[in-house]
Structure formats: C-alpha cells, structure tokens
Amino acid sequence: MCGIVGYIGQEKASDVVIKGLERLEYRGYDSCGITFYNPEESKFITNKDTGRVAKLLNDNHYPDNNHLAIGHTRWATHGVANHQNTHPHYSMSERFVIVHNGVIDNHKELTFKYLHDYEFRSETDTEVIVNLIEEFAKKISVVEAIRKTISLLDGSYALLVIDTNDTDRIYAVKNKSPLLIGESDKGIVLGSDVLAFVNYADYYYLLEDNSVITVERIKDKFVFEIFDTIGLKIGKPEKHPMDFVTDELDKAGFEHYMLKEISEQPTVVRKIMSEYMVDNKLRVSPDIKAMFHQVERVYILAAGTSYHAGLIGKIYFEEIAKIPAEVFIASEFAYNEPLIEPKSVFVLISQSGETADLRACLMNVKEQGFKTLSITNVPTSTLAREADATLNIYAGTEIAVASTKAYVGELAVLAILARSLSIQHSLDLVYEMSRAAVAMENIVDKRDYIHEVVQQTIKGEHCFYIGRGIDYFVALEAALKLKEITYIHTDGLAAGELKHGPMALIEKDVPVIAIISQDHINNNTRSNLEEAKAREAKPLVISLENTSKGNDDIVLMDVHRLLSPLITIIPAQLIAYYKALDLGVDIDKPRNLAKSATVE
Ligand code: F6R
C-alpha cells in the first residue's frame, strides 16, 4: 500500500528517494511522485504520474546536487489513480507540499469547517491536511500549524511535509501508519519501511504513534528531533543497525520473486526449526507458554493468506494443544465482536505486522485487558511491538505481493506454539518437520512438471479447488493464489458443498482441483470430484503417496497429516505462478493489490 520516502543530506536526494520508492514497489501502487529542491532553478520541482517508479526516474531531469526530496507511491483509496490524485500534493498557495500514507476519516467535516475558501485540485483526503497546515501557518509557526492540524485529524497517517520557504527542513508525523527514520553520516532518510533505507542508512529508528519529527540541515550536519503532539521533545528511540541481509532483496537468478520465495520454503522451515530448537525440541519461550496458562479459548485474528494459516492454526490448537480456538477475519472482528470468554488469549497473525484491520483489533482487545500474541515476519513491525508478546516466522523479506513463504512460516510457528502448549501429544515435531522440509524440496524440484500440468489443465475463466477438513483450508489459500496473480476467477470450496450450489457453474473443461491429503476423507472428496467430472469438469488431483490412487496428477511425499498443508500448498502456488507466467501478467505485482494493507 502507499509508501513514502524523504531525504535530506549530501547524497543526490532524488536518487535516494526514487531508489527507496523502488524498494517499496513490492507493497503495491498505481501512481508515484516526487518533489525535490532544484538548486539550478532555486525552486521545488514536482514530477508525478500514474505508472512505475522507473518512469519517474527516466522521464525527468534531476540535477546532481539536489539535497532534499520527498516521494510517494500511491495505492488509490480516495479518488481514482490519475495525475491529479497522485502525491505529492500542494497547498492552495503552493507554500506547502505533502505526501501521506493512510486515510483521514473526517476530511469532509474539516473541509466544511476550516477550508470553505480553498480550492482543491484532487479528490484526495490528503489535500485537506496540507491546506489545513497552510491555513493555520498564517498565524502560528509551521510546526505549531502541523500540530494543530493533526490534533483535528481522525484516521491514520504518516506524513512528510515541506515548507517551500525553507530548503533545509522536512517535517514528519506518524500516527497508525508506518514511518521510520534512517541515519548515516551523510544524511537522514524517512520511509514507510526499512527496506527504503538500504544503501543510504547505517542505522534506523522505529517511531511511536503521535510523533512529530523535524529533520534539518544545520551548517553541514543533518539531524532529526522528535516531539510529542504538544511539542515536548522526546528522547531518541533505540538505534538499530541496518544489518539484515540485502541478498534477500535480489532475485538470486529467479525470473520472479514469487518463484524465488516458493523455492525458499524448505529453507524457511529449517530456519524456523533452528530458531525454535531448545534441548532438541521445538519450543516457544516459557513467557509465551505462561500467557496460555488456564486459557479457555484462543482467538486467532488475521487477514487474507494469514487468515488461511489461522484456520489451520485452529486445528493445531484444538488437536495438538487441546485448547478450543476460533478464527476471525480481522476486518470482521474489528466491528462485530463475538461474546468472548474471560480467560481468552488473542493470537494475531500477519506477515507484514502492519495490516490496519488487525491493528484495530489489537487496540480493541488490549483495551479490554486480553493478552495478545502476534506472529509476524517483521519483528520491528507495529503488531510485533504492540502485542504483549511476539513470535517471529523468520521467513526473510517477502517481496512478491502474493504471499507464499510467509504462509508456511506461519503454519510452522503455529504448529510449534501448539506443540509447546500440549501436555501429552505424541507429535514428534522435530522429526515430522524435517521430513516435511524434504517433501517440500521434492515438489519444488519438480516444478517443470507442474508447468506441464498447468498447460494441459488450467484453461478458461473459472477454476475451483476443493478439499475437506485441513485440505479445505488449503483449498482456500490455493484459490486465493490463483485468482490474485492470474485474474482467473477461482473459488476454494469444502468439497461437500459443491453440490449445494457451486455445481451450477461446472461445465465442460472447467478445472476442478481436489486436494486429498487425509485418509479418512479420501473417498468422500473423490466422490465429489466424480460428480464434477460427470458434468464434464477437467479434474486434477493433488494427493500424498498414502492417499494417492490410480492416475493422480500430482503425488507428494508422505508427511504427518497435520503438516500436510506445508506440502499441498506448494503445487498450488506453482500452478498459480506458471499460469500467470503463461498469461504474461505482472506476477510479482498483481493489479490492484498491495503487499501491506495499511488502511482499514
Ligand atoms: C495474499 C496476501 C494477502 C495478505 C493479507 C494480510 O497473497 O498476501 O492476502 O495475506 O493482506 O497481510 P499480512 O499477513 O501482512 O497481515
């Protein structure tokens, strides 16, 4: 979702900002822009339009000695993706320039109350913010005007603001949308994700909500200060070195990040095993175990792929740990809370750790005094920091918008958590996970075969995945993968439900893909597939060695039945990948989607 980057320093500021925006491209966007100070013309210049960041760089001139810039990638929320709605936005007199990540819920009321004399050039809520700053700065200092503005805003926002009368300062604000500061001897960089700082910062700082930041050049030094919303100076937060592996950010010879990330999944499982291994057992820390002491029910909250991992997490909690569990889509739970048992623990699953729907839930349940545990791939993320405790999935940076390795990472950590909480389950997780990693490798190695299967089977505009029990939950994730990167309409169905309505959509050659990893429902799912075949559907079976029959199309190595989702999802990810490849669509950045959904 929207990404922001700002820089002031000795490097060519437009390069730092544009390279930073490129690093944030994975979040998903449909337009982008930059404002920088051009010393050749002694004025601020803005370049912006729909399309890719590369165009922003290639179609425009940036003098070498520009030292201050702010930029933005926009994922449309208020107003379509067009030139006018693209950030940066100017105030009416063009004194102030702003980029904004987030959503302002009361922008209409604020316009009506304070800005009736203002003309607006876009349909965005952001223009209201910049005009409020302009209005208030007529009577008070700029920083006071910013503080007054944010005191009126309802919603989420990370902002970078430039006063065009001042070529040596960027103002920034963070509330509910991500914003971090990066620092090097050469300058200060601001951005929505630490990835934007790669090559331009040695250290980074995480910011708390309601921080107001000034970044400025003082003589030949570049410094930042952080204030609260009433103007009191806050000490600098903890400094983190930029020591993560930048190799992760390259495609390592793969044509797409998605294929690279699919291939990394066995390594992710092994990495998780090494991180959670204690005395030859896979365990979470005693503090986290203690959170579940006498727990009556676990509530799992998540969105999208992480929600699908959560559905399997429920099975793990109930079958392995014998703790009742419920799973909710975060955006539903946030505004339709069920009756909650007093001794409940909330487990929030999120690859990014920034999903706004989930954060809204976290705030609600924390306020009610419930214990919260987040499971994320980004230990510095908002959810990791704000939950009572957090578990890292160690999947490494996931760049492709379609989540793959984070899903298996979430499953593996959920299994470890459930096993740690179980009193006497016989599951030997070290042995079973090691076997699963081998089975995962085996199917990744056979990916060319999956490509052939795709070319023979996946045709037309509709597709169905079916399964029962744990396979049904994998079918949901498999369908999400196919639809999000190929744009083929795909549903994941409980196999038994096919005849209760969806069968009406089955006609000649519609692919129906059955996932069959569980012995006790093997025949039932096969019967449902037969019913689809009788309507001339094109069947495809993904099974394990011990559930396979006759001519099953994709037969995977056997693994423990509870760990089968780690394996059965891989052919489905590859089916999606190869179909998208054959269709020639943008695999890593599917249309309309954002990697990090930072608005509710
Ligand atoms: C699908 C996908 C999304 C995310 C969802 C939640 O491939 O990536 O469905 O799973 O937006 O994101 P996180 O896990 O970051 O909270």
Side-chain angles (χ1 to χ4, degrees), residues 81-340:
N82 61 16
H83 182 86
Q84 281 114 300
N85 291 335
T86 302
H87 298 221
H89 289 289
Y90 280 76
S91 59
M92 194 170 78
S93 76
E94 305 207 338
R95 175 175 170 193
F96 293 99
V97 196
I98 195 168
V99 291
H100 166 212
N101 178 5
V103 172
I104 304 305
D105 300 324
N106 61 340
H107 67 282
K108 288 206 175 108
E109 293 88 314
L110 292 172
T111 310
F112 183 70
K113 190 159 175 200
Y114 296 98
L115 301 172
H116 21 82
D117 297 334
Y118 279 71
E119 275 171 26
F120 290 83
R121 304 179 183 99
S122 76
E123 301 160 89
T124 66
D125 48 349
T126 305
E127 225 188 321
V128 174
I129 310 174
V130 73
N131 280 320
L132 285 172
I133 296 171
E134 171 156 309
E135 176 62 20
F136 299 143
K138 287 175 183 163
K139 298 206 176 108
I140 50 182
S141 74
V142 175
V143 78
E144 282 166 342
I146 291 174
R147 282 210 304 269
K148 179 161 180 187
T149 299
I150 60 173
S151 72
L152 302 171
L153 302 180
D154 282 345
S156 55
Y157 44 89
L159 312 171
L160 302 183
V161 181
I162 295 173
D163 175 358
T164 57
N165 294 337
D166 181 348
T167 59
D168 281 333
R169 193 171 284 120
I170 299 174
Y171 302 90
V173 183
K174 181 213 177 313
N175 184 38
K176 294 193 199 158
S177 292
L179 186 69
L180 299 87
I181 299 179
E183 183 184 55
S184 79
D185 289 346
K186 293 188 177 161
I188 307 287
V189 54
L190 295 141
S192 347
D193 188 322
V194 69
L195 290 182
F197 304 164
V198 171
N199 299 331
Y200 298 111
D202 302 323
Y203 298 97
Y204 69 94
Y205 300 84
L206 303 165
L207 294 167
E208 296 300 326
D209 277 350
N210 298 312
S211 300
V212 179
I213 304 106
T214 56
V215 183
E216 59 191 319
R217 170 159 67 181
I218 300 178
K219 298 201 176 126
D220 52 1
K221 290 242 174 321
F222 300 93
V223 293
F224 70 89
E225 286 185 313
I226 307 174
F227 301 88
D228 66 12
T229 46
I230 52 168
L232 294 174
K233 197 165 153 184
I234 304 174
K236 276 193 181 172
E238 192 188 341
K239 192 171 180 172
H240 301 274
M242 291 280 297
D243 59 359
F244 53 90
V245 192
T246 45
D247 291 358
E248 279 180 8
L249 308 179
D250 297 320
K251 290 192 196 132
F254 287 92
E255 201 175 335
H256 296 97
Y257 282 110
M258 185 176 175
L259 188 58
K260 171 181 177 257
E261 289 161 6
I262 291 172
S263 308
E264 283 169 354
Q265 294 179 111
T267 314
V268 169
V269 169
R270 293 195 178 105
K271 166 85 176 151
I272 290 171
M273 291 179 70
S274 71
E275 294 289 343
Y276 286 95
M277 190 77 79
V278 181
D279 297 336
N280 288 326
K281 293 205 163 80
L282 292 169
R283 292 279 179 267
V284 298
S285 72
D287 292 354
I288 291 181
K289 267 183 83 169
M291 287 176 70
F292 291 83
H293 182 61
Q294 294 192 328
V295 62
E296 284 173 344
R297 191 174 291 276
V298 167
Y299 287 86
I300 302 173
L301 311 179
T305 290
S306 297
Y307 168 70
H308 297 153
L311 292 168
I312 292 164
K314 170 184 161 73
I315 297 184
Y316 291 170
F317 273 109
E318 297 195 335
E319 276 207 37
I320 304 173
K322 308 289 177 215
I323 300 172
E326 298 297 333
V327 197
F328 286 87
I329 293 173
S331 56
E332 284 300 304
F333 186 94
Y335 302 100
N336 295 292
E337 225 177 81
L339 189 60
I340 305 170

Side-chain angles (χ1 to χ4, degrees), residues 520-531:
H520 66 293
I521 38 165
N522 190 340
N523 290 338
N524 311 61
T525 305
R526 285 180 194 275
S527 302
N528 301 131
L529 190 61
E530 285 304 316
E531 291 153 14

Side-chain angles (χ1 to χ4, degrees), residues 302-307 349-355 358 383 398 400-404 410 477 480-481 484 594-597:
T305 290
S306 297
Y307 168 70
I349 312 173
S350 172
Q351 187 285 128
S352 61
E354 298 295 350
T355 296
L358 211 46
L383 286 168
E398 192 178 63
V401 164
S403 184
T404 53
E410 289 165 354
E477 173 57 11
L480 179 62
K481 285 292 88 85
E484 70 178 322
K595 182 75 185 158
S596 190

